[in-house]
Amino acid sequence: MMNYRTDLAVERSQLLDEAGQRAQGYIKKQSQIDEDIAVTEIEITTEDGEKAFGKPRGTYITLEVKGVLEEKSQIKERAARALADRLKGMIKFDYYLKVLVVGLGNEKVTPDSLGPHTVDKVKITSHLFRIFDCDGDWEMANVSGFNPSVTGVTGMETADLIEKVAGLVKPDAIVCIDALAARDIHRLSTTIQVCDTGIFPGAGMGNNRKEISRQTVGCPVISIGVPTVIDSRTLLLEAADSIGDLSFGQQIQKYIDSRDMDMIVTSTDIDAIIKDFSDIISNAINITLHPGIYS
């Protein structure tokens, strides 16, 4: 199996299938919500599954949405509802629910700006609970937002900042939004991944940092990601693989290995992708955390 780089569990599953490897330790379910939205749920259950996918055990849900850039009728609203339905299974709303929503990434670098743009559209309510001295509400959760930027801008480890803020907020759950990397360029405008295992900030840009997970922050961490970039190595390998010439693919692999290639490729539509998917994700978060307002 060629060394494709991808943050998507669904693409890892496809790579295993293409290589004819019958990995153990995971369960895969697929369903169709409507003609435009498909869902794949992969649950990694054992150490064998972790090794096969290169990911910690947990649940990885992928929504594949057609027609977002084409502005198909009500597609963003339908996608937000579908995503909210999955989030509700990971974050149980109750009267006392308190959530910290974190936008990972660099707002000044478009492919890495999904997180900050999403948090800017989430309804923040924690200040209202303080103003009215209220301990809970049946219509909305106590929600705080935080955009920590990136280590290259702040000089500080992003995970450390989030741990400190979590210590102040004491949330029941943290929701992190970040950019991911994909193998297939078409996924840059169609795919959302949700998982309950936490996140490594900067993973989508090839710069893994300290993890943000239940082990590091003391509460469940739900991550939501959209692929916004493709590693140049992966793009070349994918092109070679599509030709179907194994020897040519091996030559490309040798060419890549012999050179220090560390480039990231994105779509010419990346501005629209960031806007559309930050709309979808923020709407889904609002529906999940504020059912009395966004019912």
Side-chain angles (χ1 to χ4, degrees), residues 201-234:
M205 300 299 284
N207 183 27
N208 284 333
R209 312 297 301 183
K210 181 180 176 182
E211 71 175 279
I212 304 164
S213 65
R214 182 192 286 267
Q215 288 71 32
T216 62
V217 298
C219 69
V221 178
I222 311 302
S223 66
I224 307 173
V226 172
T228 62
V229 295
I230 297 179
D231 180 73
S232 59
R233 296 169 180 259
T234 297

Side-chain angles (χ1 to χ4, degrees), residues 79-142:
R81 290 284 176 185
L83 177 57
D85 286 344
R86 273 72 203 166
L87 288 175
K88 288 174 184 177
M90 297 181 174
I91 304 173
K92 302 298 184 183
F93 181 84
D94 63 48
Y95 181 82
Y96 298 104
L97 180 62
K98 186 181 290 187
V99 177
L100 173 62
V101 182
V102 178
L104 299 172
N106 188 341
E107 191 170 5
K108 296 180 181 179
V109 179
T110 304
D112 197 29
S113 65
L114 176 72
H117 282 297
T118 301
V119 173
D120 288 348
K121 300 172 186 177
V122 170
K123 184 172 181 61
I124 303 302
T125 60
S126 60
H127 58 297
L128 300 176
F129 284 81
R130 289 195 302 273
I131 291 171
F132 294 103
D133 192 24
C134 183
D135 59 357
D137 195 287
W138 283 115
E139 293 195 345
M140 60 183 180
N142 184 328

Side-chain angles (χ1 to χ4, degrees), residues 52-66:
F53 281 83
K55 292 180 176 297
R57 68 190 70 186
T59 301
Y60 299 80
I61 300 174
T62 303
L63 274 70
E64 297 176 70
V65 185
K66 297 178 182 177

Side-chain angles (χ1 to χ4, degrees), residues 35-92:
E35 63 179 3
D36 299 311
I37 304 174
V39 179
T40 301
E41 180 177 332
I42 295 173
E43 184 180 359
I44 300 175
T45 57
T46 68
E47 185 177 347
D48 287 341
E50 289 180 326
K51 290 178 180 178
F53 281 83
K55 292 180 176 297
R57 68 190 70 186
T59 301
Y60 299 80
I61 300 174
T62 303
L63 274 70
E64 297 176 70
V65 185
K66 297 178 182 177
V68 174
L69 291 182
E70 295 78 12
E71 299 181 358
K72 197 165 186 178
S73 177
Q74 297 292 306
I75 187 61
K76 287 165 67 172
E77 291 79 6
R78 287 185 283 134
R81 290 284 176 185
L83 177 57
D85 286 344
R86 273 72 203 166
L87 288 175
K88 288 174 184 177
M90 297 181 174
I91 304 173
K92 302 298 184 183

Side-chain angles (χ1 to χ4, degrees), residues 235-255:
L235 197 63
L236 287 171
L237 289 172
E238 175 74 359
D241 193 31
S242 67
I243 296 173
D245 186 334
L246 181 60
S247 62
F248 179 62
Q250 291 172 342
Q251 291 175 28
I252 290 291
Q253 182 72 65
K254 290 179 181 178
Y255 172 82

